[in-house]
Amino acid sequence: MKFTTTILMALLLSGAAFSQKKYPNSLSNDHIKIVWKGSEKGTFPIAIFQVKKDGKWIDGPKPSGEYTLLYSATKPSGEPTESFEKITGGKFPEESYHYQQEQWKESINDVSLNKAGQAIHFLPASMLIKSDAIEFSKETDVASITTNWRIDPQNPTDILVKMIVKAKAKGYFSMATPTLGTVAQEQLGWTSVPGYFQGNTLQKNFALAYAYGHGVPDRPVIYRERCASTLSPLVTTKNGVTLSVIPEPGLARDPWAKDKITQTDWHIGLSHMNRKGQLAPTIYYPVLGKEKSELNAGEEFTFSFRYSIIAGDWFQAIKHAANDIYQFDQTLALRKSKQSLTDRIEKMHLYLTDPKTSLWNIEEYKGKQIGAQSYLGGVVGSQKDAMKNSDYGAMWMLAHATSDPELTNKVLPPAENFKLVQQQTDEGFFKGSVEGQYYLAKKKKFVEEWGEVVEPMALTYYVMLDIGNMLLFEPENQELKTRLKYGADRLLSWQKSDGSWAVAYDRKSEKETFKDIKDVRPTFYGMIVAYRILKDDKYLKAAQKGADWFIKNAVETGSFLGVCGDARYAPDFATGQSAQALLDLYDLTKNKKYQDAAVTCAKIYTTSIYTHPIANHTSKTVNGTAREDWEISQTGLSFEHGGIFGSATRHGPIQLASHAGMFIRMYKLTGEQIFADMARSAAIGRDAFVDSKTSVASYYWNAMNRGAGPYPHHAWWQIGWITDYLLSEAELRSNGKILFPRGFVTPKVGPHQTYGFEPGNVFGDKANLVIKAGLATPDNAAIECVTAQSTSKNSIYIMLMNNSSSQTDFALNIDESKITEGKKMKSLKWAENNLAAEIDKISIPAFGLKTLEIAY
């Protein structure tokens, strides 16, 4: 079908009003308008690509309609043919980063760099109008391609496409999604392959763009689904149109397909560009040289996907892909807990007070008894003798909530000594900073994770945050205050004139190192701690100056840096922590720009949460144990670090859901349901990853339920994030009538915060957070029990929360002997309405709360 009339062509190209009946070569409704035109060459490019926004039709990306088929007669090599340098010169990554070498190598072969095979570009040669679809076809030398396009009746901003590729010759084939439209660099508002990068400008230095996402890669690289959090590469134009491409569910790899890990399988490729390097979100299937890509003549494959075209931003596109297509919000209903989170805390308390299970060590150093747990992961110079403490806020919180002498007498004093000797107090350039995160017992020295460097961020973490959280519980501890001031003044002296900090300094030369990357991390949080504790305005000004720089260079550009030295600071959970840091700065200043930036940062962090594949009831076998798919699903879990050389490429996501409480706070602030769904999906029904003997969850997803393994200190972080999550839920569900003061975030795994250093407010009554194991026991694991003791009357409050998406009926057992020594229960009532309480049958709605007051 050809349209050669000059007037008709002019009408089509101008985007004049039309109807589908009048011009059947279109897909259009009240939301989107795609019109193909015929040409004298007998091909069918797209002439009009428009979206309705605020009642008016506006142009989307520049119309194209070009197809690309990749073909190779032989299997492409997996070996790299290029090498890359840092922006400051020198090989990237350096040889010392051996964890990253293999991942980098596989990420720069010709398939990953989209250089493999012959690229056959074409426009369709025939068009067939059907009642509800348009069908195109094309014969190439190596394959015939048929494509069916139709508007999704359930999602009117989506176009469903089904492609059939039939081989004419033997070889390897990969079909790209046709280029619906392209975005010029000057029209780019935002682009992302979620889980890998996001940003609004192109970066010419490939290492900086590809490994860190500090600017968008200016090459059409192809990413694996293993770290793609939401399967939706997207581009947003400056006039507010977002185009994304979403593969049909089931097309991408399943990380545990049946009875073994399949995390590294590669079924689809994702990119922000087409093969020609034009900004156009693109999916490739199958991946050239990978499973299903080899065909004999006459064989074929089918490839289904959708274009989503919305008059909105990238966050709307992410929610659409996650919820409307991959059913993320619906699969929360599958999650059923076999053990409550509060029961896990009580069991981990026992684990942590047993030196054998917790691998607790006492060493003599500089005349002090120092205590820490064994760390059996990778540390430069370690001979399996490294020691580390993790969450000092959780340590002090648990000790105060339980009043356990095993903690208060045997753990806290040597842990505090460990912190004191960890800090450098000698005069000089590094006074006030930390000697290193880890103590090597055999060498009797502190070392950093990966090399002899000193990071301002480490000072924020291991001096300011740890000592700050300790001082919340011990405000009169003058030695800790002195040490905090040492750290604050050193951090202040290192702050640059623009508000930023160096990534690190070389310990020997004292010169700045890692100058190829910016410190786009929440280093400014150390100044927040200094201001809250030491009350000096200069620290608040420094915090604001640092945050202002961070907003401009990180939040607004989508560029972040991680805190794991062994991964060369690949972006990680520090991005989520940055959102909480900005929220805390808003609390101090009431300057709304910090709150707005915090929300943006949290939205970006949703792209560090898996939303695929769709969790279900499929039976699988995991290390000899029968599991349903939802029990081991990655959906709802976050990365340690994603990207092309993060740990998630091999190990998958982590169980340490430090972001859960922050996401609940973000839901309360914004009303965006996806925040609550992601928090709850991470927290609920994760029993398949919890060691039954210790109640400690494995760190990496691929470890399943092996417990703490080489990371015994992680139990403290687990207590910390669970408490933060539960108390954030209590505040949300009570509409603020239950509120406990929050302390500082923890090093280093994310944004969870410390509690228990001051009384909270429970329906108008001051009460201290307490843990009384066995006091209140529900007969349903969906029910969480958080306990607080009144400071003004003989009452204990039991905050009962239903962590289920359906109403839960249960009975509650109260053990009077656990109330307080020699006291008996006098009465039971509901704090919400002061009505007498019956505990034989309690009913709480989905994600609801009831607060029981026990008078004694």
Side-chain angles (χ1 to χ4, degrees):
M1 187 182 296
K2 294 183 180 180
F3 297 94
T4 56
T5 306
T6 305
I7 295 174
L8 181 56
M9 287 293 292
L11 282 170
L12 286 173
L13 292 172
S14 68
F18 69 99
S19 70
Q20 190 150 355
K21 288 183 179 179
K22 189 173 183 181
Y23 303 117
N25 57 320
S26 67
L27 291 175
S28 62
N29 56 23
D30 287 340
H31 303 275
I32 58 176
K33 184 192 298 182
I34 307 293
V35 184
W36 284 266
K37 69 172 181 177
S39 74
E40 294 177 356
K41 296 178 181 178
T43 57
F44 295 90
I46 295 172
I48 298 173
F49 181 175
Q50 291 187 327
V51 181
K52 187 174 280 188
K53 184 175 184 181
D54 300 326
K56 297 180 180 179
W57 288 103
I58 64 170
D59 289 333
K62 183 181 179 181
S64 172
E66 185 173 64
Y67 290 57
T68 299
L69 173 68
L70 305 183
Y71 171 75
S72 178
T74 58
K75 187 173 183 177
S77 170
E79 294 299 311
T81 57
E82 285 187 76
S83 60
F84 299 92
E85 290 196 345
K86 296 175 285 188
I87 200 165
T88 52
K91 183 185 175 185
F92 181 90
E94 300 89 341
E95 293 294 337
S96 59
Y97 291 96
H98 55 254
Y99 289 143
Q100 278 65 52
Q101 293 301 320
E102 188 63 29
Q103 286 152 222
W104 181 252
K105 181 180 175 182
E106 71 180 14
S107 298
I108 58 170
N109 62 35
D110 283 359
V111 173
S112 295
L113 296 182
N114 207 356
K115 300 192 302 179
Q118 173 192 358
I120 303 168
H121 304 291
F122 60 90
L123 288 165
S126 67
M127 177 170 67
L128 176 65
I129 308 296
K130 296 188 172 183
S131 60
D132 65 343
I134 301 179
E135 192 165 281
F136 299 95
S137 61
K138 172 71 176 181
E139 298 289 332
T140 72
D141 291 341
V142 297
S144 60
I145 297 95
T146 304
T147 314
N148 181 284
W149 299 60
R150 64 187 177 92
I151 292 176
D152 183 357
Q154 275 75 47
N155 296 281
T157 60
D158 288 8
I159 296 174
L160 300 174
V161 181
K162 180 179 179 180
M163 306 185 78
I164 300 174
V165 178
K166 188 172 184 178
K168 293 181 177 179
K170 179 180 173 58
Y172 293 85
F173 297 82
S174 178
M175 192 72 216
T177 53
T179 299
L180 199 60
T182 63
V183 177
Q185 185 176 344
E186 61 271 16
Q187 292 302 315
L188 174 62
W190 198 259
T191 183
S192 177
V193 175
Y196 284 96
F197 72 87
Q198 63 282 314
N200 53 16
T201 56
L202 297 186
Q203 169 61 255
K204 291 184 178 180
N205 181 265
F206 185 69
L208 197 55
Y210 200 37
Y212 294 98
H214 291 184
V216 174
D218 66 352
R219 300 173 58 151
V221 291
I222 301 178
Y223 295 94
R224 293 159 169 77
E225 66 263 51
R226 66 180 76 162
C227 285
S229 55
T230 295
L231 296 175
S232 180
L234 58 89
V235 177
T236 302
T237 62
K238 284 186 175 176
N239 67 343
V241 175
T242 298
L243 169 63
S244 54
V245 187
I246 308 166
E248 187 72 11
L251 201 65
R253 68 93 179 91
D254 182 330
W256 196 286
K258 188 179 179 183
D259 56 8
K260 63 181 179 179
I261 188 170
T262 44
Q263 167 75 1
T264 60
D265 287 2
W266 193 7
H267 292 182
I268 65 170
L270 306 100
S271 186
H272 59 307
M273 289 180 169
N274 60 24
R275 174 78 173 226
K276 291 183 174 180
Q278 298 168 308
L279 282 165
T282 305
I283 291 169
Y284 295 83
Y285 178 83
V287 177
L288 201 66
K290 300 298 180 181
E291 185 181 350
K292 298 183 180 179
S293 69
E294 185 178 14
L295 299 178
N296 292 313
E299 292 182 330
E300 66 181 37
F301 65 80
T302 302
F303 173 23
S304 296
F305 60 92
R306 69 180 60 222
Y307 299 104
S308 174
I309 310 155
I310 62 172
D313 68 4
W314 63 269
F315 188 59
Q316 286 180 252
I318 292 288
K319 290 188 293 180
H320 172 58
N323 290 334
D324 299 332
I325 313 307
Y326 279 82
Q327 303 172 30
F328 176 71
D329 54 348
Q330 299 172 49
T331 57
L332 178 59
L334 298 175
R335 307 219 136 268
K336 309 294 181 187
S337 293
K338 296 176 182 175
Q339 180 185 17
S340 70
L341 295 169
T342 42
D343 187 69
R344 276 188 59 199
I345 289 176
E346 292 173 7
K347 299 294 194 303
M348 284 190 283
H349 171 207
L350 301 177
Y351 161 84
L352 288 162
T353 50
D354 183 339
K356 290 182 180 178
T357 57
S358 65
L359 304 186
W360 179 251
N361 306 287
I362 299 289
E363 296 284 338
E364 182 85 20
Y365 183 73
K366 292 187 176 180
K368 291 181 181 291
Q369 294 283 307
I370 65 171
Q373 290 168 273
S374 294
Y375 179 87
L376 303 177
V379 176
V380 171
S382 172
Q383 301 171 48
K384 301 297 181 183
D385 62 333
M387 295 162 51
K388 178 177 180 174
N389 290 317
S390 56
D391 193 335
Y392 271 76
M395 295 170 82
W396 262 248
M397 176 185 69
L398 187 67
H400 281 71
T402 61
S403 300
D404 183 356
E406 289 293 316
L407 291 172
T408 55
N409 298 335
K410 297 181 180 179
V411 173
L412 299 196
E416 184 172 326
N417 285 341
F418 184 94
K419 186 56 54 182
L420 292 173
V421 299
Q422 187 180 27
Q423 185 182 29
Q424 188 164 328
T425 55
D426 295 340
E427 294 296 331
F429 185 72
F430 294 120
K431 181 183 178 181
S433 65
V434 286
E435 304 245 2
Q437 295 180 53
Y438 304 86
Y439 179 71
L440 302 183
K442 293 177 182 177
K443 296 178 180 177
K444 290 193 174 293
K445 64 183 258 186
F446 281 89
V447 296
E448 207 27 87
E449 188 169 33
W450 218 251
E452 294 194 52
V453 296
V454 181
E455 298 174 62
M457 186 72 210
L459 193 163
T460 284
Y461 275 168
Y462 305 111
V463 174
M464 306 309 295
L465 293 182
D466 281 341
I467 292 179
N469 275 325
M470 291 158 69
L471 277 165
L472 293 174
F473 292 90
E474 302 178 29
E476 304 306 318
N477 189 322
Q478 292 303 316
E479 185 170 18
L480 288 180
K481 271 192 177 178
T482 298
R483 296 305 193 87
L484 188 76
K485 192 171 189 315
Y486 285 169
D489 290 341
R490 176 52 55 203
L491 195 61
L492 190 61
S493 73
W494 279 346
Q495 188 174 31
K496 298 181 181 182
S497 59
D498 62 2
S500 68
W501 280 271
V503 171
Y505 297 101
D506 180 79
R507 181 165 288 283
K508 292 178 180 176
S509 70
E510 301 180 356
K511 291 181 179 179
E512 185 177 342
T513 186
F514 295 107
K515 295 181 77 171
D516 58 310
I517 45 181
K518 292 180 180 179
D519 186 42
V520 274
R521 304 181 288 192
T523 307
F524 64 88
Y525 199 97
M527 298 285 89
I528 292 176
V529 178
Y531 174 70
R532 269 185 64 177
I533 299 291
L534 301 175
K535 312 296 186 189
D536 192 324
D537 283 344
K538 69 182 179 184
Y539 300 130
L540 182 59
K541 289 177 181 176
Q544 291 177 274
K545 189 176 181 180
D548 292 345
W549 179 90
F550 179 82
I551 291 169
K552 183 178 179 180
N553 289 273
V555 181
E556 292 178 1
T557 66
S559 302
F560 297 92
L561 196 67
V563 294
C564 296
D566 58 349
R568 206 184 187 275
Y569 311 116
D572 60 18
F573 26 49
T575 303
Q577 193 174 61
S578 300
Q580 189 61 58
L582 291 162
L583 271 187
D584 286 3
L585 188 56
Y586 167 75
D587 288 342
L588 291 175
T589 65
K590 300 305 177 186
N591 187 329
K592 198 170 184 300
K593 74 175 177 181
Y594 299 128
Q595 187 183 70
D596 292 344
V599 171
T600 300
C601 199
K603 287 179 176 179
I604 290 172
Y605 195 65
T606 64
T607 65
S608 288
I609 314 296
Y610 279 110
T611 62
H612 72 97
I614 300 172
N616 56 50
H617 289 291
T618 301
S619 180
K620 296 182 175 181
T621 302
V622 181
N623 302 329
T625 300
R627 299 281 188 193
E628 290 193 0
D629 172 79
W630 68 265
E631 294 184 87
I632 61 167
S633 172
Q634 292 187 351
T635 56
L637 297 178
S638 64
F639 302 137
E640 178 184 45
H641 18 68
I644 58 100
F645 66 34
S647 61
T649 61
R650 295 287 191 276
H651 303 321
I654 59 174
Q655 306 300 318
L656 222 166
S658 179
H659 63 281
M662 184 269 288
F663 269 9
I664 292 295
R665 291 187 278 279
M666 283 293 171
Y667 169 60
K668 185 172 185 286
L669 176 64
T670 66
E672 289 283 3
Q673 185 65 44
I674 195 168
F675 285 128
D677 291 344
M678 285 183 164
R680 291 164 180 169
S681 292
I684 299 168
R686 294 293 173 182
D687 306 272
F689 301 93
V690 177
D691 175 36
S692 59
K693 294 178 183 177
T694 64
S695 292
V696 181
S698 293
Y699 184 50
Y700 294 115
W701 171 86
N702 69 326
M704 294 295 166
N705 63 341
R706 284 186 229 143
Y711 318 113
H713 61 288
H714 282 206
W716 289 113
W717 274 323
Q718 292 176 33
I719 288 170
W721 82 254
I722 289 171
T723 302
D724 185 39
Y725 164 68
L726 291 174
L727 290 178
S728 298
E729 285 275 26
E731 180 183 347
L732 171 72
R733 300 182 195 187
S734 68
N735 293 316
K737 292 178 180 177
I738 296 173
L739 182 63
F740 284 82
R742 286 182 282 112
F744 305 116
V745 299
T746 189
K748 98 190 193 187
V749 295
H752 74 259
Q753 294 179 286
T754 298
Y755 295 80
F757 52 91
E758 288 177 3
N761 192 307
V762 181
F763 291 93
D765 187 27
K766 292 288 185 183
N768 283 313
L769 189 66
V770 295
I771 295 175
K772 293 179 177 288
L775 168 61
T777 308
D779 63 3
N780 191 312
I783 303 300
E784 303 290 349
C785 298
V786 178
T787 308
Q789 191 152 12
S790 173
T791 62
S792 62
K793 56 184 178 178
N794 290 339
S795 287
I796 291 176
Y797 298 99
I798 310 294
M799 291 155 263
L800 300 166
M801 288 183 281
N802 178 17
N803 256 357
S804 170
S805 59
S806 58
Q807 177 179 303
T808 299
D809 300 323
F810 64 99
L812 185 70
N813 179 66
I814 302 292
D815 185 347
E816 287 189 74
S817 69
K818 305 287 179 145
I819 291 175
T820 192
E821 192 173 347
K823 301 292 184 181
K824 293 288 185 180
M825 192 162 59
K826 181 180 175 183
S827 66
L828 296 172
K829 66 177 181 179
W830 298 117
E832 286 87 349
N833 53 23
N834 287 318
L835 295 178
E838 296 291 335
I839 60 174
D840 292 337
K841 187 176 181 181
I842 305 171
S843 180
I844 301 181
F847 297 113
L849 170 144
K850 283 188 174 180
T851 307
L852 182 68
E853 182 179 349
I854 304 173
Y856 59 88

